């Protein structure tokens, strides 16, 4: 991995300054954050709810790596998108044992020319020879990225170097520069990126493991962190979390799209997301979309002067993205542009119309939004987004759509279709918190208030038994005074204090105090367990 260029110990600083710097507190990096209890319980509950709902639709968990080759994302999401163009966290990884090759490369590339002495010539030649030898060595050991381009550049470098003549006359300036340029573009490390999303990774895994040979469509779900270098604000982070689902297989039946949307809304209803709105669109396929894009571009060129800089640029790079503009002064212009729904081919129009029938059949409410084009290039036909309340400008809590050509684009089998979505977990949680309708989560069940040396052994034993039944139990590691013990039980939000003093220890009983109303009973072990379980878990659980 490339080294952090900053010095770790600032030895040339005055001692006092160094000490201060060493004692400084660390903070989470801008755009990242810690999710602490009790919020983390809400996160677990949300992700667990998603797992349960998705599994009821026969989706199964897939876990892919947090980093992948940069080009996987570039090819899937698109070079001209914000995500790939501006927001990815990328880094280069060198295999071990390749440092000398890297050094020889750096020396060749930065070697000053023109040369005015034969020594210059000799040293340069020695470095090129070393580079050639080490490159061959590293390649035979499989330490270099296997790349057609690399092979070609290396061959060119060797060809140019073979034309160098003896120190007397020396190579031409042109040949030297050509060797330097070829050395410069040879990739010695692998370019990696922290994943900005997971659809590309799921498709990569699908292809890598030949999952097209498995029976039926592959219905997969995932949950985990994603990384985009965006400007942080409420609901927008640089490390954020998604829960997503993908269906991959030979069929593109609209019923698949509809089932995915039904599943999504089932989850949102279950977790109580407030005021959600589902927007649906079809952006056509590789037959009809390019024609629409050209038409749109032509219309946009006519109104170019009335648009702001970003939209003006997008007319040429990606005109569909102009439809995404939120600028108030561009809205009236956009409303007059040709709409994709009027330019779909017959197959896409039929697909979209069947999708709407399927949604009606399943009772899924939605609104059509012809401007929903999404920011990633892989989409075809169905696209959708869900907004929720309480999120300000970042109100998209979920986005998704169909990506029928992606598997093939990534080198997989032809004819594999795909559709899926990703929910922004940070935003889903934020919206639930803002609504104030938080779920009642289990929390601490029993605080064991033991007092006196003889009470300790029965306290340890009962704590173990209650925990084995899945109850959360806090057992203080040191003896506490009675009042302090009950005070702490209260502060920790325990449902019960289980009091074990010397009396209880002697008689083999327990005093169970319900903290909500102070109700207190002396019980033996089996009555105690039965009482706690029925009150916390039974049909009349409080
Ligand atoms: P996306 O629209 O880029 O789609 O992201 C999906 C959701 O992730 C967004 O609606 C939002 O809730 C959340 N999100 C995105 N960026 C951030 C951020 N910086 N901070 C917080 N939340 C964020 C995708 O990622 C596609 N892979 C979805 C998909 C799956 N399409 C087909 N299959």
């Amino acid at each position: 991995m490339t080294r952090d260029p900053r010095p770790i110990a600032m030895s040339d600083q005055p001692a006092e300054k160094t000490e201060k710097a060493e004692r400084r507190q660390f903070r989470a990096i801008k755009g990242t954050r810690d999710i602490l209890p009790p919020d983390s319980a809400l996160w677990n509950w949300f992700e667990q709810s998603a797992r349960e709902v998705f599994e009821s639709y026969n989706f199964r968990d897939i876990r892919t790596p947090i980093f992948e080759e940069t080009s996987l994302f570039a090819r899937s999401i698109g070079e001209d998108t914000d995500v790939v163009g501006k927001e990815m966290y990328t880094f280069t990884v060198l295999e071990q044992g390749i440092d000398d090759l890297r050094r020889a490369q750096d020396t060749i590339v930065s070697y000053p020319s023109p040369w005015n002495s034969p020594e210059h010539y000799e040293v340069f030649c020695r470095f090129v020879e070393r580079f050639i030898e080490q490159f061959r060595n590293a390649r035979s050991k499989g330490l270099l990225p296997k790349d057609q381009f690399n092979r070609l550049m290396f061959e060119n470098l060797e060809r140019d170097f073979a034309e160098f003549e003896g120190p007397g006359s020396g190579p031409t300036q042109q040949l030297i520069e050509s060797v330097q340029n070829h050395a410069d573009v040879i990739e010695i490390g692998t370019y990696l990126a922290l994943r900005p999303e997971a659809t590309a990774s799921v498709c990569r895994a699908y292809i890598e493991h030949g999952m097209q040979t498995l029976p039926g469509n592959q219905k997969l779900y995932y949950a985990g962190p994603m990384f985009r270098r965006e400007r942080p604000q409420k609901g927008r982070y640089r490390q954020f979390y998604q829960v997503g689902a993908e269906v991959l297989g030979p069929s593109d039946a609209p019923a698949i799209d509809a089932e995915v949307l039904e599943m999504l809304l089932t989850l949102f209803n279950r977790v109580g997301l407030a005021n959600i709105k589902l927007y649906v669109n079809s952006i056509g396929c590789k037959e009809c979309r390019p024609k629409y894009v050209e038409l749109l571009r032509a219309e946009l060129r006519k109104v170019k002067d009335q648009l702001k800089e970003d939209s003006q640029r997008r007319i040429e790079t990606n005109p569909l993205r102009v439809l995404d503009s939120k600028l108030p002064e561009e809205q009236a212009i956009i409303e007059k542009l040709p709409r994709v729904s009027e330019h779909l081919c017959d197959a896409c129009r039929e697909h979209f119309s069947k999708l709407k029938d399927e949604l009606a059949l399943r009772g899924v409410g939605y609104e059509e939004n012809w401007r929903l084009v999404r920011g990633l290039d892989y989409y075809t036909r169905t696209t959708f987004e869900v907004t929720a309340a309480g999120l300000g400008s970042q109100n998209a809590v979920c986005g998704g759509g169909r990506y029928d050509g992606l598997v093939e684009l990534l080198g997989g089998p032809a004819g594999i279709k795909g559709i899926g979505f990703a929910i922004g977990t940070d935003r889903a949680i934020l919206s639930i918190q803002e609504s104030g309708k938080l779920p009642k989560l289990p929390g601490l069940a029993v605080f064991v208030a033991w007092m006196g040396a003889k009470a300790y052994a029965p306290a340890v034993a009962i704590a173990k038994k209650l925990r084995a039944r899945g109850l959360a139990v806090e057992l203080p590691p040191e003896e506490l005074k009675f009042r302090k013990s009950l005070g702490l039980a209260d502060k920790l939000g325990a449902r019960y204090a289980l009091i074990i003093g010397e009396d209880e220890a002697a008689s083999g009983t327990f005093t169970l105090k319900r903290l909500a109303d102070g109700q207190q009973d002396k019980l033996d072990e089996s009555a105690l367990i039965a009482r706690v379980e029925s009150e916390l878990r039974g049909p009349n659980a409080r």
Side-chain angles (χ1 to χ4, degrees), residues 45-54 56-57 241-245 259-279 364-365 384-389 391 395-400 420-433 435 437 439:
W45 161 82
F46 180 82
E47 287 174 353
Q48 185 54 27
S49 306
R51 284 175 196 283
E52 285 169 19
V53 170
F54 296 172
S56 75
Y57 283 78
Y241 295 79
Q242 285 186 342
V243 172
E259 186 181 78
V260 161
L261 288 167
E262 179 193 309
M263 177 169 92
L264 180 61
L265 292 197
T266 302
L267 172 63
F268 284 168
N269 283 332
R270 176 159 156 182
V271 297
L273 262 183
N275 290 332
I276 53 170
K277 265 204 181 128
L278 166 65
Y279 296 97
V364 174
F384 55 88
E385 236 167 57
V386 180
T387 58
L391 295 172
N395 66 350
V397 79
C398 172
F421 62 77
I423 300 166
T425 313
D426 306 76
R427 295 186 190 174
I429 299 285
L430 205 58
S431 177
I432 293 167
Q433 283 171 329
S435 75
K437 294 197 192 113

Side-chain angles (χ1 to χ4, degrees), residues 476-495:
E478 286 165 319
E479 185 174 350
L480 299 173
K481 295 244 160 54
F482 186 68
R483 279 171 68 88
K484 201 164 180 194
S485 207
L486 286 203
L488 185 56
D490 214 31
K491 282 186 199 144
L492 294 179
R495 307 288 291 276

Side-chain angles (χ1 to χ4, degrees), residues 340-406:
V340 62
S341 53
E342 289 148 18
H343 299 273
L344 294 177
C345 62
D346 291 348
C348 286
R349 195 173 316 112
E350 194 185 330
H351 190 274
F352 195 32
S353 138
K354 281 198 178 143
L355 167 63
K356 290 186 261 184
D357 294 346
E358 279 279 349
L359 291 175
L361 177 73
R362 291 157 195 264
V364 174
Y366 65 94
E367 208 175 283
E368 252 184 89
N369 178 359
W370 72 277
R371 288 175 56 179
L372 188 66
V373 291
R374 313 263 308 121
L376 318 173
D377 279 359
Y378 50 60
Y379 291 111
T380 52
R381 293 192 168 164
T382 314
T383 54
F384 55 88
E385 236 167 57
V386 180
T387 58
L391 295 172
S393 64
Q394 303 302 313
N395 66 350
V397 79
C398 172
R402 187 160 270 296
Y403 46 88
D404 291 341
L406 183 55

Side-chain angles (χ1 to χ4, degrees), residues 110-155:
S110 57
Y111 206 81
S113 67
W115 303 328
N116 41 25
S117 79
E119 287 92 83
H120 274 137
Y121 175 77
E122 271 166 38
V123 175
F124 184 78
C125 288
R126 243 182 284 135
F127 273 110
V128 178
E129 277 159 12
R130 189 179 302 171
F131 179 78
I132 290 176
E133 186 193 324
Q134 286 178 348
F135 185 92
R136 287 205 189 116
N137 231 332
R139 193 171 53 188
S140 69
K141 288 186 191 150
L143 300 178
L144 295 175
K146 286 199 185 64
D147 194 297
Q148 184 86 355
F149 177 77
N150 250 7
R151 199 170 50 79
L152 201 67
M153 292 303 111
F154 182 65
E155 281 169 13

Side-chain angles (χ1 to χ4, degrees), residues 440 495-496 514 516-517 534-542:
K440 230 173 116 197
R495 307 288 291 276
Y496 298 97
R514 196 162 60 206
D517 57 6
S534 83
E535 287 195 4
L536 294 185
R537 296 198 175 135
N540 303 319
R542 292 154 181 260

